[in-house]
Amino acid sequence: MNEVKTHYRNCNICEAMCGLEIKYQDKQILSIKGDQNDPFSKGYNCPKATALEDFYYDKDRLKTPIKRTTSGWVDISWEEAFDEITEKFKAIQHKHGKNALAGYLGNPNAHSLGNAMMLKPFSKSLGTINRFSSASADQLPHHVASNFMFGAGMLIPVPDIDRTDFMLIIGGNPVVSNGSMMTAPNVIGRMKAIQKRGGKVVVVDPKCSRTAKIADQHLFIRPEKDALLLFALIHCVFASNKVNLRHLAAMTDGVETLESVAKDYAPEDVAEFVGIDAQSIRQLAADMTAADSAVCYSRMGASTQTFGGLCQWLTNVLNIITGNFDRAGGAMFPQPAYDLLRNHVKGHKSSFGQYHSRVRKLPFFNGEFPVSTLAEEIQTPGEGQIKSLITIAGNPVLSAPNGKQLADAFTELDYMVSVDIYLNETTKYADIILPGTTGVENSHFDIFFNSFSVRNTVKYSAPLFEKNADQRSDWQILKEISSRMNNSPMDPYTPEMILDRELTQGPYGEEGMSLQKLIDNPHGIDMGPLMPCIEQRIKTATGKIDLAPRIYLDDLSRLNALMATAPRDQTYPFDLIGRRLVKSHNTWTQNSARLVKGKNPCTLEIHTQDAQTLGIKQGQLLKVSSRVGEIHIEAAITNDILQGVVCMPQGWGHNQQGTRMSVAATQAGVSMNDLTDASKVDTLTGNAVLNGIPVAIELA
Ligand SMILES: Nc1nc2c(c(=O)[nH]1)N[C@H]1C(S)=C(S)[C@@H](COP(=O)(O)OP(=O)(O)OC[C@H]3O[C@@H](n4cnc5c(=O)[nH]c(N)nc54)[C@H](O)[C@@H]3O)O[C@H]1N2
Ligand SMILES: Nc1nc2c(c(=O)[nH]1)N[C@H]1C(S)=C(S)[C@@H](COP(=O)(O)OP(=O)(O)OC[C@H]3O[C@@H](n4cnc5c(=O)[nH]c(N)nc54)[C@H](O)[C@@H]3O)O[C@H]1N2
Ligand code: SF4
Ligand SMILES: [Mo]
């Protein structure tokens, strides 16, 4: 036995980038704790970090390629796998056209240095426009808003949580999720610090979430009515003459247009629909404008809904007109050391709407189509039909709306490949699964989350353990397929080479930023709080912020129709919303015994009054049905949810035949996406609607 050693790295599971201290001896991990010397996370970590160990040792995890045969899955060599895959892909494209091949990218790609670096050339090598990802079941409305208002989809304003005096959180539960499009390890500590310095946190949510519980104020809102609330707040800011653009006055277009549009949304006009009385809305606007600094942060609940596009636009508008933009304590742009916008030219024409999807005409953006249209693109015959698919680190059967339909669609494909570490609900449909290395076997650098971070910091983590000789990294898999699809020799670039180039040529390059510098500073480097930088960072052709882009104004008729609709269809009288759990991450961490032990977390929360009306008792099995499907789930009666709304976890349903996730199967739960409806999208952005799903409930 060698001596006990210490390794420092960032956790790659969620967006918070917590620094970890791992003690190990030879190939045995002894402990995983928060790294006290990480300048950003300062020792914080959540219970999921310790599960990195479980994923590393997991006996179910795939290490070599496997191929589906009539007599079951068999191990094959990498060479055989690459030969077959590229031969099949090429043959299918030759016969049906380039776009007959599609790709789906899941969430862990964003948490992997190698994947983030190699996916662009990889996607190009496939030569198809049929690309999809989990982004369109998530944060697409944020990117669309940034694209139209600031000229670049990746220029995301983040709440300056560490300096704000007033934080309005709409549709986010960062105490559980640890933040999203807001990289902020220890959100709970940062929220409490707002309160400690005399500030206030307000949460708007149909559920009294854990974040709402520690906030100073919680307002219950009816699902999907956030755009109306945001408009009413904007209305109040104009009506009370509190518009204050500060240093952005000369660089903001569209204020008058916005003022005239907002006139139609007085608190009294929207209160009934939103479920918040007019006086409370006025008070909220007054509190926000009275604060020395304030920020509105809206996330999942306000993104993955019918008006996600409008919500993210209006959130930016509210921050801008209250003088809380590009200013300490408001919404600010990070300046990451690896700057994704380094080569982004001002006025660069975006790809929004460059194409429209074949079947439903949803807009293409940022190199992809919305995932809600994937199943119908596979199942609808005709020119351009998808015949073959590669999924990379994604589990859309559980994560995309109407996952069952997608599973059916996968059975109709001529050929499917998955790059994944598990044989799961999605990959079981593949002909070949290619397993990459994961977690502690990989080097790590957060190229995306540094761009959404509440503080400018930078860190590189080397692999903890070398991979086995017969293992490949995801990025090596991607490169091998690319080079074969391109019929060209592999270029020599590694993720580390590209990273070093971007760091040295990036915004801190003159200060000697480089990969070597990061290797020499294993706890990470702090570059300080966010700084006003919009003048340097903005990418619109005019150099101005557009407060009232045409596409949003054109979408208002849809919002207005909401206020004019007839009484709701009583076939599905409840609105289903989702929740995240502290001990699971989307669909893939449930094979860790320590994360799933204990009582069944996959329950349907329902209000006491609703339960009484329906004669439902605690723990009883319920049948929940929607337009597309039904599930059976236990009742959890609570007063923490709005009447008429029910809530269940997302990311569960690991009980399917033909998968190989033995731990997950013991605490399987059911899939929320057997109820969500792929035909329902935010038509403006194409984002999936995963909240506010009309459902019926009865005893099973
Ligand atoms: N109803 C509902 N649906 C939702 C949501 C919701 O709130 N409600 N949330 C949405 C959101 S925000 C997201 S981001 C998506 C996520 O959607 P997906 O990305 O499709 O789902 P994940 O669970 O992240 O799937 C991760 C997959 O990657 C594999 N994997 C894990 N690590 C690695 C690795 O290192 N390499 C490789 N190659 N594979 C790996 C896992 O085995 C798994 O198959 O789900 C969305 N779906
Ligand atoms: N522990 C854990 N952490 C995670 C994840 C995980 O699975 N587990 N997933 C990660 C990922 S991929 C993401 S994208 C982030 C997401 O992080 P968050 O954006 O914080 O998402 P959620 O935790 O789903 O919280 C969404 C909130 O919106 C509320 N809501 C639902 N519908 C509406 C609505 O119509 N209006 C309003 N105002 N609120 C609504 C819900 O009640 C819920 O409290 O979390 C990340 N972090
Ligand atoms: S909060 Fe996220 S990054 Fe931090 S330890 Fe937990 S899973 Fe990892
Ligand atoms: Mo996500």
Side-chain angles (χ1 to χ4, degrees), residues 12 104-109 112 115 134-135 137-139 299-300 304 392-401 419-422 424 426-427 434-439 442 474 578-580 585-588 650-651 661 672-673 676 690-691:
N12 67 308
Y104 171 84
L105 309 179
N107 172 277
N109 288 296
S112 158
N115 298 38
S134 57
D138 189 349
Q139 82 285 5
R299 207 37 290 267
M300 276 303 281
T304 49
I392 301 166
N395 190 2
V397 168
L398 294 191
S399 71
V419 180
D420 207 286
I421 56 174
Y422 287 115
N424 66 17
T426 293
T427 61
L434 300 171
T437 52
T438 190
N442 288 344
D474 278 353
R579 68 173 181 270
R580 290 184 147 67
H585 188 81
N586 297 339
T587 78
W588 71 270
Q650 60 97 20
M661 290 183 79
M672 176 172 179
N673 288 321
T676 53
L690 304 171
N691 287 294

Side-chain angles (χ1 to χ4, degrees), residues 585-606:
H585 188 81
N586 297 339
T587 78
W588 71 270
T589 54
Q590 287 92 335
N591 217 43
S592 156
R594 84 179 78 204
L595 293 184
V596 296
K597 71 167 188 262
K599 72 177 209 271
N600 169 25
C602 199
T603 58
L604 187 82
E605 293 174 339
I606 181 166

Side-chain angles (χ1 to χ4, degrees), residues 88-102 126-130 382-388 414 485:
K88 290 272 189 190
F89 281 172
K90 284 178 186 175
I92 285 168
Q93 287 189 314
H94 184 73
K95 188 163 168 207
H96 302 286
K98 286 277 187 190
N99 296 335
L101 174 60
L126 298 185
T128 171
I129 60 165
N130 274 322
E383 170 122 19
Q385 182 182 6
I386 293 171
K387 296 281 187 185
S388 181
D414 289 352
M485 290 301 286

Side-chain angles (χ1 to χ4, degrees), residues 11 13-14 16-18 44-46 48-49 178:
C11 175
I13 297 174
C14 89
M17 309 198 305
C18 298
Y44 176 84
N45 69 287
C46 87
K48 288 187 293 302
N178 281 290

Side-chain angles (χ1 to χ4, degrees), residues 55-312:
F55 307 135
Y56 179 65
Y57 299 114
D58 192 338
K59 292 198 169 56
D60 289 333
R61 180 157 68 90
L62 305 173
K63 301 253 172 68
T64 47
I66 57 173
K67 177 176 164 147
R68 190 151 49 85
T69 68
T70 44
S71 50
W73 291 92
V74 294
D75 290 356
I76 55 169
S77 73
W78 287 99
E79 203 54 30
E80 188 186 341
F82 288 129
D83 282 348
E84 177 181 309
I85 290 166
T86 46
E87 203 175 287
K88 290 272 189 190
F89 281 172
K90 284 178 186 175
I92 285 168
Q93 287 189 314
H94 184 73
K95 188 163 168 207
H96 302 286
K98 286 277 187 190
N99 296 335
L101 174 60
Y104 171 84
L105 309 179
N107 172 277
N109 288 296
H111 298 268
S112 158
L113 166 66
N115 298 38
M117 296 291 192
M118 298 307 170
L119 276 167
K120 225 180 178 169
F122 170 80
S123 295
K124 206 169 159 216
S125 79
L126 298 185
T128 171
I129 60 165
N130 274 322
R131 300 190 295 260
F132 304 82
S133 86
S134 57
S136 52
D138 189 349
Q139 82 285 5
L140 179 58
H142 291 252
H143 297 303
V144 173
S146 288
N147 176 60
F148 284 101
M149 300 180 79
F150 317 124
M154 286 307 288
L155 195 53
I156 300 289
V158 301
D160 186 15
I161 188 171
D162 292 343
R163 286 178 294 183
T164 196
D165 298 301
F166 186 95
M167 187 165 181
L168 170 59
I169 302 177
I170 302 182
N173 185 13
V175 166
V176 171
S177 69
N178 281 290
S180 178
M181 307 307 275
M182 170 179 75
T183 287
N186 191 11
V187 170
I188 193 163
R190 292 173 202 267
M191 272 176 67
K192 286 185 174 160
I194 298 177
Q195 296 169 321
K196 220 169 158 187
R197 57 180 181 263
K200 195 172 165 186
V201 179
V202 182
V203 170
V204 173
D205 199 301
K207 189 183 142 172
C208 187
S209 63
R210 283 186 53 187
T211 305
K213 283 205 188 325
I214 72 157
D216 300 274
Q217 187 186 5
H218 169 229
L219 295 164
F220 280 107
I221 187 169
R222 299 224 58 88
E224 302 202 290
K225 306 299 183 288
D226 307 272
L228 291 174
L229 171 69
L230 283 158
F231 249 135
L233 293 172
I234 291 165
H235 173 102
C236 294
V237 177
F238 277 109
S240 57
N241 278 322
K242 288 283 163 55
V243 173
N244 178 3
L245 298 174
R246 297 186 200 259
H247 64 300
L248 304 178
M251 61 179 293
T252 307
D253 279 339
V255 184
E256 295 77 20
T257 311
L258 206 83
E259 178 169 17
S260 78
V261 172
K263 281 214 168 76
D264 294 341
Y265 303 91
E268 290 72 16
D269 297 330
V270 306
E272 182 197 337
F273 304 97
V274 170
I276 303 175
D277 65 89
Q279 181 47 35
S280 301
I281 298 176
R282 286 188 188 281
Q283 191 59 49
L284 183 56
D287 290 348
M288 186 166 177
T289 48
D292 287 340
S293 67
V295 67
C296 174
Y297 163 69
S298 61
R299 207 37 290 267
M300 276 303 281
S303 262
T304 49
Q305 55 143 292
T306 313
F307 302 101
L310 290 175
C311 286
Q312 294 308 330

